[in-house]
Amino acid sequence: ERPHPDFHALKPLLPDITTALAVIAYASTEPSIAFNAGWSRLLVAGAVPGMPADPGSEALGKALDRLIRANGAIRRRIVDAVAHTVAADGQVSPFEALFRDFWAA
């Protein structure tokens, strides 16, 4: 069961989304292309952030703790961005599949 939504806007979650997309992108054969493919789906005005160094599992855990508390509309945008990050290189690694399945639940 998902927690009650605490986030009703995308902006406060952008650092967490950046972290999640970066971790997923590093599982790709083309990390920067994958990151940009996901980020572009968010339709956020302004520059695309530079892809951070691989944030690692601890940072991903913290990001997911916040992202899971987004309302349904925001979660759908995040899922779309994740799907495009995963699909950018035309391959789905086992890690990417696990992450995709997390969001589908």
Side-chain angles (χ1 to χ4, degrees):
E1 182 177 318
R2 294 196 187 273
H4 180 36
D6 293 325
F7 297 100
H8 303 279
L10 195 63
K11 189 173 182 175
L13 293 171
L14 290 178
D16 304 295
I17 294 168
T18 300
T19 296
L21 294 182
V23 170
I24 297 165
Y26 277 105
S28 170
T29 57
E30 297 286 341
S32 66
I33 291 171
F35 179 82
N36 290 332
W39 185 266
S40 69
R41 300 298 298 181
L42 296 170
L43 304 175
V44 176
V48 175
M51 187 172 144
D54 190 347
S57 60
E58 186 176 332
L60 176 61
K62 289 178 183 178
L64 292 178
D65 286 345
R66 288 175 46 88
L67 294 175
I68 200 72
R69 297 184 349 245
N71 71 17
I74 301 299
R75 254 194 337 265
R76 283 188 290 280
R77 288 177 71 184
I78 297 167
V79 168
D80 182 64
V82 166
H84 281 79
T85 303
V86 168
D89 65 359
Q91 302 173 30
V92 179
S93 73
F95 172 76
E96 290 171 323
L98 286 172
F99 201 88
R100 180 194 59 205
D101 294 345
F102 170 82
W103 280 102

